[in-house]
Amino acid sequence: QVQLVESGGGLVQAGGSLRLSCAASGMIFGMLGWYRQIPGRQRELVATISRGGSTNYLDSVKGRFTISRDNAKNTVYLQMNSLKPEDTAVYICYAPRPDGREYWGQGTQVTVSS
């Protein structure tokens, strides 16, 4: 059974930092990533990382967020610095497979106060 379990969300003041973790089990994933969901808005892809370490970021988080992974632990991280109130969202771990299957975590709430 495939599971993606996130942790690390919470409440932080603007300018602060949080680190999210997502532990994957049941399958080895080449690509891992993070989406975020803001109420009333379309889900947006925040960052992705390949098994080899290639990364991509949403423009609005470039220079502030860093995605990384530990392949031995099948875990992906999202280090979020210089957080802004507009970063407030549910952050969801994402793991696509080459065959088209997609796996999602349950989401973790990040709230940034001004």
Side-chain angles (χ1 to χ4, degrees):
Q1 180 180 2
V2 176
Q3 280 191 313
L4 301 176
V5 180
E6 300 111 329
S7 60
L11 173 64
V12 65
Q13 288 189 328
S17 298
L18 282 174
R19 189 191 193 211
L20 307 182
S21 300
C22 172
S25 61
M27 192 173 290
I28 300 297
F29 294 97
M31 182 70 70
L32 290 167
W34 293 91
Y35 270 82
R36 66 185 181 188
Q37 180 72 63
I38 299 170
R41 292 177 54 178
Q42 194 169 8
R43 185 175 291 188
E44 58 184 3
L45 182 59
V46 176
T48 61
I49 185 167
S50 70
R51 192 165 182 83
S54 297
T55 59
N56 283 287
Y57 295 93
L58 182 68
D59 283 347
S60 62
V61 308
K62 285 179 180 177
R64 301 187 297 122
F65 290 11
T66 302
I67 189 170
S68 61
R69 66 188 290 167
D70 184 332
N71 290 333
K73 296 181 179 179
N74 216 17
T75 298
V76 61
Y77 307 95
L78 186 67
Q79 177 66 44
M80 305 184 293
N81 299 330
S82 302
L83 281 161
K84 304 175 181 180
E86 52 263 44
D87 294 318
T88 295
V90 175
Y91 284 73
I92 306 162
C93 184
Y94 167 67
R97 293 283 297 173
D99 62 6
R101 287 177 291 173
E102 296 178 333
Y103 297 91
W104 301 87
Q106 79 284 359
T108 185
Q109 177 70 46
V110 171
T111 303
V112 184
S113 63
S114 56

